[in-house]
Amino acid sequence: MIIFKSINKLREKVNFKANIGFVPTMGSLHKGHESLIKKSKKKCKKTLVSIFINPTQFNVKNDFSNYPRNITKDIKILKKLNVDYLLIPKENEIYKHKKYKKIAIPKKDKILCAKYRPGHFEGVLAVINQFLRNIRPKFIFLGEKDFQQAILINKFIQNKYKTKVVLCKTIRMKNLVPYSSRNFFLSKNDFKKAVFVSKLIRKFFILIKNDFNKKNNLNKIKKKINEDGIRLEYLEIRNKKNLSNKIGRKNYKIFISYYIKNVRMIDNL
């Protein structure tokens, strides 16, 4: 694996006209990231992973400073997976000008996480734009766990870049909790609450699948979550293609965001 700490050096050494897959990450790698990398390695000739904790997508300063960092462990994981290239850029190279730090999203897209984390996706799109305008990979691999993020990135790059989005399934533990870097912050008791929510949402998903009218039980599910001492931010059923409220038996997804103490958790099914 070749490690680059400069985008310019990466561009000098790597032929991006070839079939290259790109997996952008903020490090603290887990099995969810590993699945994206494995998908890229199957589909592409070469795989590039980036590790960059993007400051512009954090709407709480402490969240950025407390984000888990373990670059030594991450590099070991990437070497074991036989990743071809790793990019670890500095902030001043990504954002040479302030004008690049945010990209506006339409008012109609300010739903779900965009509603409760103002500026978050504007920062996500900004960093993706900076990566793609500099390296132009053939494919970018994104996880379904951050489903709204993947939808917004896909919409943004569709007519701007030739890079294609490959959406990969959420990887879960046996207890149904999705892998996440933020799981690191949960105590054993807190983690049990995350298991409770994941199992409850899975049951609700299956209930709707068997009887679509059961979608009207949404408020009952909200009460069950709040009764367990978890602070629910949102629980919504939306169209899985465009995130609208127009849902049917075959095109719905359940989206949830909640807090366990100060740890924000998201999921979708």
Side-chain angles (χ1 to χ4, degrees):
M1 181 174 75
I2 304 174
I3 300 174
F4 295 94
K5 293 188 178 180
S6 163
I7 291 177
N8 288 334
K9 286 185 180 179
L10 175 71
R11 290 173 65 183
E12 284 175 17
K13 300 290 183 182
V14 177
N15 175 21
F16 281 97
K17 290 181 180 178
N19 181 8
I20 292 179
F22 177 43
V23 183
T25 82
M26 293 205 298
S28 192
L29 303 178
H30 50 68
K31 289 187 178 180
H33 296 113
E34 290 180 24
S35 72
L36 300 180
I37 292 164
K38 288 174 183 176
K39 191 79 177 274
S40 175
K41 287 181 67 65
K42 278 186 180 180
K43 193 174 181 67
C44 305
K45 190 174 181 181
K46 299 284 184 180
T47 292
L48 163 67
V49 174
S50 68
I51 295 178
F52 178 65
I53 302 175
N54 177 34
T56 68
Q57 70 188 69
F58 290 87
N59 54 340
V60 178
K61 284 185 179 180
N62 285 346
D63 201 16
F64 170 69
S65 57
N66 293 332
Y67 196 84
R69 293 161 168 84
N70 197 332
I71 193 69
T72 304
K73 185 180 177 183
D74 290 342
I75 289 172
K76 283 182 182 178
I77 291 170
L78 296 175
K79 283 182 176 178
K80 200 171 182 179
L81 291 169
N82 293 316
V83 166
D84 300 285
Y85 312 115
L86 169 61
L87 174 64
I88 313 173
K90 292 181 179 177
E91 184 183 344
N92 60 6
E93 189 181 21
I94 296 292
Y95 298 119
K96 291 178 182 178
H97 304 286
K98 284 185 178 180
K99 65 179 181 179
Y100 294 137
K101 288 190 172 184
K102 294 283 182 179
I103 289 176
I105 63 172
K107 190 175 181 180
K108 65 181 178 64
D109 288 333
K110 293 182 178 181
I111 56 173
L112 302 174
C113 285
K115 178 181 177 181
Y116 292 94
R117 295 188 73 189
H120 170 68
F121 289 122
E122 289 87 341
V124 170
L125 293 183
V127 73
I128 292 297
N129 184 51
Q130 288 303 95
F131 278 134
L132 297 189
R133 73 194 291 266
N134 281 293
I135 59 180
R136 309 285 174 121
K138 190 168 184 180
F139 299 100
I140 182 170
F141 294 81
L142 304 172
E144 279 193 12
K145 179 179 167 289
D146 297 298
F147 195 84
Q148 184 180 14
Q149 175 174 287
I151 292 278
L152 290 174
I153 289 173
N154 192 44
K155 281 173 68 175
F156 173 70
I157 71 174
Q158 254 179 1
N159 299 317
K160 194 174 176 70
Y161 298 107
K162 291 182 180 178
T163 302
K164 301 294 182 187
V165 170
V166 179
L167 195 58
C168 305
K169 288 184 178 180
T170 302
I171 304 301
R172 299 177 183 274
M173 303 176 199
K174 289 181 181 179
N175 52 33
L176 301 181
V177 175
Y179 281 95
S180 170
S181 301
R182 294 181 187 275
N183 292 350
F184 171 82
F185 296 119
L186 299 175
S187 68
K188 285 186 178 180
N189 286 335
D190 292 338
F191 191 76
K192 286 178 182 177
K193 292 181 180 180
V195 173
F196 164 76
V197 173
S198 293
K199 289 183 175 180
L200 184 66
I201 298 304
R202 172 60 67 88
K203 284 180 184 177
F204 186 39
F205 178 85
I206 293 169
L207 197 68
I208 298 171
K209 190 175 181 180
N210 293 332
D211 181 357
F212 193 62
N213 289 325
K214 295 293 184 181
K215 68 184 187 298
N216 298 320
N217 287 3
L218 190 67
N219 286 331
K220 289 181 181 179
I221 303 299
K222 287 180 180 179
K223 285 181 181 178
K224 282 185 179 181
I225 292 171
N226 280 322
E227 283 172 7
D228 199 62
I230 297 159
R231 181 161 63 89
L232 182 66
E233 191 168 66
Y234 65 75
L235 177 62
E236 299 185 31
I237 305 171
R238 287 185 173 268
N239 186 301
K240 66 181 181 182
K241 291 183 179 178
N242 56 24
L243 302 184
S244 72
N245 288 314
K246 294 180 180 178
I247 61 170
R249 293 176 183 274
K250 294 183 180 180
N251 71 355
Y252 72 92
K253 241 185 189 300
I254 301 169
F255 294 88
I256 186 170
S257 168
Y258 62 98
Y259 281 87
I260 300 175
K261 293 180 181 173
N262 294 320
V263 183
R264 187 175 187 271
M265 310 287 285
I266 62 168
D267 199 1
N268 63 81
L269 280 170

